Amino acid sequence: MGSTGIGASFLAPDRLRVSGLQPANIVMLGTGERILDERRLAELRALDPAATCLVEYLDERDEADLQRLHRTLAFPDAIIASDAMPVEWPDHRTDSRAWPLPAGASTHPRTAGTFARTLRLMVREHAVWDWVEAFRRCSYLPARVLDDVAPAMRKKGILSAGAGADIVVLDPAAVTDRATAADPVRPSSGVRHLLVGGVFVIRDGRLDQDAYPGRPVRAEVR
């Protein structure tokens, strides 16, 4: 299942068929409307191209789709990352510092579960990677992609003196995603400690709601 704006070019009625999709494979995130036909799809794309939708593809209940996903993730140097998606509430809020997050939030489950899900599937359940390879793909390689444009990233993705002190300590037997399409902001579990810039955000499995040590990573002006 994917998520994007309804105005994305690949969701144009004449291009859906190329991907083997139909309008009924698209569900509007804010309203839950499943698009029934090409006429309604064109109407929604014209009305609000940025409106978030879910796109049903790569059904993990289908063994062929599941194996295709595993082969993709196992490809040498494939990086694990997510653009996540905005979190929206019925009252049109798009941000909240309340924890747990208020009920009724809508987003794609990848917003909360990308990394924990990958670790569960690729390391613990299917043993495609060991833990060192998992951390390489989830942390080290993504940082290297940005080395040339964002100098701050050159100290990320590694543990050494002088490196950025962004550290996660996991329980390898427990780390897992819990977000679903019905409850997309349910937090993952199995994180024992999390430090950002050397400051604890999670300690002994408990979130410090007053800790906001994160800083933006900016590109270098050239």
Side-chain angles (χ1 to χ4, degrees):
M1 179 172 63
S3 185
T4 188
I6 189 65
S9 61
F10 75 95
L11 295 183
D14 59 335
R15 299 194 64 182
L16 269 184
R17 293 182 290 273
V18 176
S19 303
L21 298 173
Q22 304 175 18
N25 293 121
I26 305 172
V27 178
M28 299 306 298
L29 189 61
T31 64
E33 176 187 356
R34 183 177 294 277
I35 301 176
L36 297 181
D37 53 38
E38 292 186 358
R39 181 199 61 78
R40 180 58 175 161
L41 174 58
E43 185 178 75
L44 289 169
R45 284 168 57 84
L47 182 66
D48 185 2
T52 308
C53 65
L54 300 177
V55 184
E56 296 174 341
Y57 72 103
L58 279 179
D59 186 348
E60 293 182 41
R61 296 167 298 182
D62 182 285
E63 185 62 26
D65 278 356
L66 182 61
Q67 291 304 315
R68 185 178 299 112
L69 178 61
H70 286 177
R71 287 196 303 271
T72 302
L73 291 174
F75 193 81
D77 291 344
I79 288 174
I80 304 305
S82 175
D83 58 356
M85 290 299 290
V87 180
E88 304 171 4
W89 280 270
D91 61 3
H92 304 297
R93 280 178 298 167
T94 56
D95 185 31
S96 174
R97 291 196 171 186
W99 190 263
L101 289 175
S106 297
T107 187
H108 190 282
R110 72 175 184 255
T111 302
T114 293
F115 293 96
R117 182 179 185 82
T118 301
L119 295 175
R120 171 175 62 83
L121 289 173
M122 300 302 287
V123 181
R124 192 168 66 241
E125 294 185 2
H126 298 284
V128 178
W129 305 332
D130 59 20
W131 285 103
V132 172
E133 180 66 7
F135 293 138
R136 175 176 172 270
R137 291 175 183 248
C138 291
S139 181
Y140 178 80
L141 289 179
R144 301 294 70 78
V145 169
L146 297 173
D147 277 348
D148 289 342
V149 295
M153 294 305 295
R154 296 167 192 164
K155 295 183 178 182
K156 305 293 186 183
I158 54 177
L159 284 175
S160 67
D166 303 328
I167 302 169
V168 61
V169 179
L170 306 172
D171 180 343
V175 64
T176 189
D177 59 309
R178 300 192 303 149
T180 65
D183 189 1
V185 296
R186 186 183 300 169
S188 298
S189 58
V191 175
R192 294 296 172 250
H193 308 292
L194 176 65
L195 296 93
V196 177
V199 177
F200 275 101
V201 177
I202 297 175
R203 187 196 294 258
D204 297 323
R206 301 179 69 87
L207 175 70
D208 182 349
Q209 297 185 44
D210 296 319
Y212 291 95
R215 295 294 181 269
V217 175
R218 302 189 186 282
E220 187 174 37
V221 178
R222 297 179 178 178

